[in-house]
Amino acid sequence: MSARVETDDDIRLMFAADASGLRYVPEGVARPESVEEVMEVVRRAADAKTPVTPAGMQTSTTGASITGEGVLLSLRALSPIIDIDRQARLVRVSAGAILGDVKRLAAAEGLLLAPDPTSEEESSVGGAIACNASGARTLKYGATREHVQSVKVVLASGEVVDFRRSGLEKNTAGYAFAHEPVDWFVGSEGTLGVVVEAELSLLPLPERVIGLEIPFANERDALAFVVAARESSRVFPRCLEYFDELAVEIARNSEGLVPDSGTMVYVEQEAETLDAWLALSEQHNAQVDDVRVFDGEQALATARRIRHAVPATMNERGSGHRHAGGRKVSTDWAVPYRRLHEAITMSRELARQAGIAQAVTYGHAGNGHPHQNYIARNVEELEAIERVVEETLRSVVAMGGTVSAEHGIGKLKRRWLPLQLSPIELGVMRSVKRELDPLGILAPGNIF
Ligand SMILES: Cc1cc2nc3c(=O)[nH]c(=O)nc-3n(C[C@H](O)[C@H](O)[C@H](O)COP(=O)(O)OP(=O)(O)OC[C@H]3O[C@@H](n4cnc5c(N)ncnc54)[C@H](O)[C@@H]3O)c2cc1C
């Protein structure tokens, strides 16, 4: 039985950090092993009006999975993959299952679990649902939300409920946001309920995928190529990822399999369209003689490692400065993809004016969504970087963009949410929160 709340210092410290660089020591930790135990923990917390923050693998980059208030509810032990239905293309999983494990099980059945955050080998299913995690292949398949068919949720009262997508194609009964309650919990960052199980839809595993690393001498050509590839009727990428010069340099130091200089676009395509890609690359001044082709599962895994090396290296660099109050500062904004070059150029100009080092910029250019990683070496640099980020976000929102496309709001990005959402929009969100969690005990400090 592990519904009890542990208060030993060593256990509390084990759950005090995530990938945000923040640190909050919980007052207690619960590590339930069954849905009934989760219900009991939450019921007791509701009786005592004690806050409860759900956590999966704690890879959150926004401090969403840590808390200094009340109980940290770790779902890691709730890990079985319950069953997979090949005919219906559905997999039922417990919240603590690791996304990468579920993917491998699906692949063994000839099926694809589409959500692909870079952290998929370290991310729980519950965490991916609660953050609506997405990745490079979101360009073709959509984010986690599109693949969640049902959720079993322990509500703030401790009661358990099941929500399933309606499957309806037409529905005019009431407000649209009440039509698919599954959507309330996807992206809710632990604030509306504890996801204990979910049913995820699967796709047929593509027969052949090729990856291409396409080098460019400069950012302008690379990002014009991205727009052309999105709008082409001859190529149909499942991902379109950009690496600026600094990101290429990091990838080169870790794997070596990247261009010697300049920027790079990485694309993946199901089926054979190499000629069409080369023609499009040539039209946009790519260095076509240096295009590298990744063919087959093993080669694609190498390409994925190259991509992963960039955030992993930047996390390491950031942690090296924690003693002086520094850390990695990671932006997660997105704009309509046609405006990406304009937005990145604007952010670089703001950094230049503030006298801070340029961010390493990489990521999901096809969705207008780059990651920009700055390294603050001390408190002063942190403050200067945060000012640049805030100015960048103001301009991004003015371009029709979002302050967070992938990693959620958590605690770190809370102050930037009102840049994007109006008081009316925030008010409606607060009403939903009040209705589902009237005592405000779930994940306090996340989002609001
Ligand atoms: C190196 C690195 C790369 C990353 N790359 C990506 C990426 O490509 N795409 C992306 O989207 N994210 C990425 N992330 C962020 C993060 O890994 C993902 O959001 C991940 O899906 C979170 O899963 P987790 O199990 O670690 O959740 P946690 O970090 O433990 O929790 C995240 C949030 O979900 C809530 N939560 C967790 N479990 C539950 C549950 N069962 N019920 C209710 N709420 C719950 C928590 O309260 C918290 O608000 C990356 C992080 C790192 C460190």
Side-chain angles (χ1 to χ4, degrees), residues 406-423:
E406 196 169 76
H407 294 184
I409 296 295
K411 299 177 179 69
L412 265 186
K413 298 181 179 170
R414 214 166 42 191
R415 65 182 185 282
W416 294 323
L417 192 58
L419 296 180
Q420 183 180 338
L421 298 186
S422 68

Side-chain angles (χ1 to χ4, degrees), residues 18-20 52-66 72-76 78 94-99 116-120 122-136 138 144 152-154 185 188-197 304 307-308 310-313 315 328 332 362 364 369 371 405-408 410-411 443 446-447:
D18 58 14
S20 62
V52 181
T53 297
M57 295 302 288
Q58 297 191 288
T59 61
S60 167
T61 58
T62 64
S65 67
I66 50 177
L72 190 293
L73 174 62
S74 171
L75 279 307
R76 287 184 200 190
L78 217 67
S94 307
I98 300 296
L99 212 52
D116 68 330
T118 314
S119 54
E120 66 188 17
E122 310 137 280
S123 157
S124 70
V125 167
I129 292 174
C131 289
N132 191 23
S134 55
T138 294
T144 299
K152 185 187 279 295
V153 181
V154 173
F185 299 96
S188 65
E189 301 188 37
T191 61
L192 299 181
V194 183
V195 176
V196 285
E197 264 176 43
R304 213 169 161 72
R307 164 77 173 74
H308 195 266
V310 181
T313 304
N315 284 347
K328 172 178 117 169
D332 187 27
Y362 61 97
H364 320 304
H369 174 210
H371 293 297
E406 196 169 76
H407 294 184
K411 299 177 179 69
N446 284 358
I447 304 178

Side-chain angles (χ1 to χ4, degrees), residues 13 15 34 67 74 91 93 143 159 199 236 256 302 335 363 375 400 442:
L13 289 172
F15 293 88
S34 67
T67 186
S74 171
V91 61
V93 281
E159 169 195 4
E199 210 170 32
F236 307 96
T302 304
V335 287
I375 298 295
L442 289 178

Side-chain angles (χ1 to χ4, degrees), residues 179-234:
H179 291 171
E180 301 290 356
V182 167
D183 284 330
W184 301 343
F185 299 96
V186 182
S188 65
E189 301 188 37
T191 61
L192 299 181
V194 183
V195 176
V196 285
E197 264 176 43
E199 210 170 32
L200 305 172
S201 54
L202 303 168
L203 299 168
L205 203 60
E207 272 174 28
R208 184 168 182 214
V209 178
I210 53 163
L212 297 176
E213 258 179 27
I214 306 171
F216 291 85
N218 63 63
E219 190 155 270
R220 176 179 293 280
D221 285 339
L223 295 176
F225 168 80
V226 166
V227 173
R230 270 219 56 165
E231 297 177 358
S232 163
S233 56
R234 299 199 56 216

